[in-house]
Amino acid sequence: MNRLAIIGGGSVGLLYAARLASYHEVTVYTKSKEQAIAINEKGIQIEENEQITVIRVKAAVISDGIAPCDLVVIAVKQYHLSSILPFLRKISPTTPLLFLQNGMSHLEIIDSLPHTYVFLGLVEHGALKKGDVDVTHTGIGTTRLCMYKEYHPIHKELLTNSTDSFPFVEEHDWHYTMIKKLIVNAVINPLTALYRVENGMLPSVAPFRQNMEQLFAEVVLSLGINEGKEYWASILMVCEQTAFNRSSMLRDIESERQTEVDSILGYIISEGEKRHVDVPLATFLYNSIKGLEKKQKK
Amino acid sequence: MNRLAIIGGGSVGLLYAARLASYHEVTVYTKSKEQAIAINEKGIQIEENEQITVIRVKAAVISDGIAPCDLVVIAVKQYHLSSILPFLRKISPTTPLLFLQNGMSHLEIIDSLPHTYVFLGLVEHGALKKGDVDVTHTGIGTTRLCMYKEYHPIHKELLTNSTDSFPFVEEHDWHYTMIKKLIVNAVINPLTALYRVENGMLPSVAPFRQNMEQLFAEVVLSLGINEGKEYWASILMVCEQTAFNRSSMLRDIESERQTEVDSILGYIISEGEKRHVDVPLATFLYNSIKGLEKKQKK
């Protein structure tokens, strides 16, 4: 039984808080006072297969600071990381941190922290937040756990907590794992958001597939990857396995939320600049998604 | 009073038939027998400013052949031109032809015809077909009339028919006029169709405007144009003047119809190939629109 701090009361934060509360003493740190009060009063109501379970956890407002604990799970979106940075800096450097962001852009922020023990987690779960304390576990995925800095025994404990409905898997090469996810996201997310189609439509409609191939070629070149066959195969596999899913970026656009395009295509574009690789499609798609975000707000 | 044959019972064909019937004896040539019967029985019902006027014209099925006349107006979409080519070939080579297609791709087809007198008309009207005999004149524009081959006096007569509600304007440089329209269409149509926004949103949302600029740069290069300032200005002017309009390509996608992307971006891409100019965005957008057309049919 460890003391876990989970930062973020979004879909991922609530999901991990509810699932990890079976093994640990969990405190959720939220941005709003209202949400902290609601979680303390009602617990987290997690829905799966149309069944709702109430999980009791503690909650507090992040601006009050993070209490000493055995692991801090950072479950905010990449674009909110910088706003919680002051609170992360106050956490003891020997407390292990687990980051659950998409993309690669957060690594620079992580590198600026003084902490010794840092893990990365790639979240492949589907989760949908429906209210301050309500989250639906829409798809059981995996948490791919990577050691990013020094080893810490809590890493092993998380793997021991792995269950069929909330599995943890160890990945030994964090860079390869993150890059693979990034490439998959960079191709599937912006195209599905732009075309407003389910993932499976991309490879099955021939002209869409041609655009996938062009975009993929840019993405791997910008990352300095010469032989990309296995990455292409993993994109097709994800499209097939999640054929009827709407990507997170598409859902963000449809729900008029900010997307994670900065940490995905923004990263690709800056890597392309480093390597003097032209990325016209990535740039076009970046602007397209940015424009759609702005348009929704009008 | 001339005998006019108007080929095509779509929105443009019905609009021109109804409007030109004030001055000429008009016969509409349709693809389907049902539509020809309906027009003969009911006339064309043209709506403008919520007022419906019934215009009596003759109609016949094109597969029965085109009767001798003084002018043939070809009002089918560019992608239907090849299907009516056999009927055009049977028209006397001294009968003048007026082509009302968008883009530039139809010029090659026109060049293959033996006809001496050919005009091009650029349609800036808004028209919406609502049924076999029903058309709404949604926006009064202009018909920009260009001499493409030899001069014929009917050219002057059409200009004389010009009225405030159905104006004809003479353009002396067909190539410049067509290219200008093509560039405007190549930038506005695919982007509005993809983003599903009204024309005015393109320049007013900063990231969309960046994409307009990138696409414009490709388009003028592919056409071998070095100094494009005036073309850019005309794109912005059209966006401003038609700020609340949904482009024809957007409406085609929304209504699950085939678009004119082949005669617009298809032409840009082939011109780019001729000049060895890379057109990644035009290619991407071409595939995007083709994919959206296919997707709608599923």
Side-chain angles (χ1 to χ4, degrees), chain A residues 183 215-228 231 268:
Chain A
I183 293 174
L215 177 57
F216 173 74
E218 267 189 21
V219 165
V220 288
L221 264 185
S222 77
L223 295 171
I225 297 167
N226 289 320
E227 178 54 81
Y231 296 102
I268 298 292

Side-chain angles (χ1 to χ4, degrees), chain A residues 12 16 73-76 98-102 106 120-123 143:
Chain A
V12 173
Y16 277 72
V73 180
I74 296 100
V76 302
L98 167 57
F99 285 86
L100 298 180
Q101 285 64 38
N102 266 323
H106 58 302
L120 306 174
L122 280 173
V123 179
T143 306

Side-chain angles (χ1 to χ4, degrees), chain B residues 6 54 73 81 91 143 146 190-191 200 209 215 246 265 272:
Chain B
I6 295 183
V54 177
V73 180
L81 261 191
I91 299 169
T143 307
C146 315
L191 292 180
R209 189 179 173 120
L215 177 57
R246 301 176 87 74
L265 288 180

Side-chain angles (χ1 to χ4, degrees), chain B residues 1-258:
Chain B
M1 202 74 163
N2 296 293
R3 294 163 301 165
L4 262 52
I6 295 183
I7 303 181
S11 56
V12 173
L14 293 180
L15 175 72
Y16 277 71
R19 291 299 183 225
L20 292 171
S22 315
Y23 310 95
H24 307 283
E25 192 194 315
V26 168
T27 307
V28 182
Y29 290 89
T30 64
K31 196 164 100 182
S32 82
K33 195 161 184 168
E34 291 71 34
Q35 191 180 14
I37 292 170
I39 293 172
N40 280 319
E41 278 178 3
K42 302 181 197 163
I44 295 173
Q45 313 203 349
I46 184 162
E47 184 179 337
E48 192 168 346
N49 299 326
E50 293 173 12
Q51 205 159 5
I52 295 173
T53 316
V54 177
I55 313 278
R56 291 279 161 193
V57 299
K58 283 193 276 185
V61 183
I62 188 166
S63 55
D64 290 343
I66 293 156
C69 60
D70 304 308
L71 174 69
V72 179
V73 180
I74 296 101
V76 302
K77 298 262 186 190
Q78 191 272 337
Y79 48 79
H80 285 143
L81 261 191
S82 51
S83 70
I84 63 159
L85 214 47
F87 309 112
L88 296 182
R89 288 222 179 85
K90 283 185 196 147
I91 299 169
S92 153
T94 58
T95 301
L97 308 179
L98 168 57
F99 286 87
L100 299 180
Q101 285 65 38
N102 267 322
M104 300 281 282
S105 309
H106 58 303
L107 299 182
E108 227 170 302
I109 295 181
I110 293 175
D111 291 342
S112 77
L113 290 169
H115 297 79
T116 314
Y117 310 106
V118 178
F119 319 117
L120 307 173
L122 279 174
V123 180
E124 296 179 350
H125 289 279
L128 215 59
K129 184 181 165 185
K130 296 196 164 172
D132 266 354
V133 303
D134 307 286
V135 65
T136 306
H137 197 175
T138 54
I140 293 175
T142 297
T143 307
R144 298 191 181 275
L145 204 62
C146 315
M147 198 177 76
Y148 181 66
K149 284 182 162 180
E150 296 291 307
Y151 174 77
H152 188 282
I154 202 154
H155 183 248
K156 212 167 220 165
E157 279 193 60
L158 285 171
L159 292 167
T160 314
N161 298 157
S162 183
T163 60
D164 282 351
S165 63
F166 204 68
F168 280 82
V169 166
E170 183 165 25
E171 294 284 352
H172 292 284
D173 185 342
W174 71 262
H175 189 259
Y176 172 75
T177 309
M178 303 287 284
I179 285 284
K180 196 164 87 171
K181 178 91 188 281
L182 174 74
I183 293 175
V184 168
N185 284 342
V187 173
I188 296 179
N189 285 14
L191 292 180
T192 50
L194 201 58
Y195 301 148
R196 306 187 185 213
V197 297
E198 295 162 350
N199 297 349
M201 289 286 269
L202 285 189
S204 70
V205 175
F208 287 164
R209 189 179 173 120
Q210 279 186 48
N211 281 349
M212 284 177 81
E213 288 170 4
Q214 287 302 313
L215 177 57
F216 173 74
E218 265 188 24
V219 165
V220 287
L221 265 185
S222 78
L223 295 170
I225 296 167
N226 289 319
E227 178 52 83
K229 264 187 200 160
E230 63 193 279
Y231 296 102
W232 177 248
S234 76
I235 295 175
L236 293 184
M237 203 187 65
V238 170
C239 284
E240 195 181 305
Q241 287 176 345
T242 63
F244 300 105
N245 284 14
R246 301 176 87 74
S247 75
S248 59
M249 198 173 281
L250 171 55
R251 280 187 282 115
D252 285 340
I253 289 292
E254 287 179 329
S255 311
E256 308 188 6
R257 284 190 301 260
Q258 190 175 353

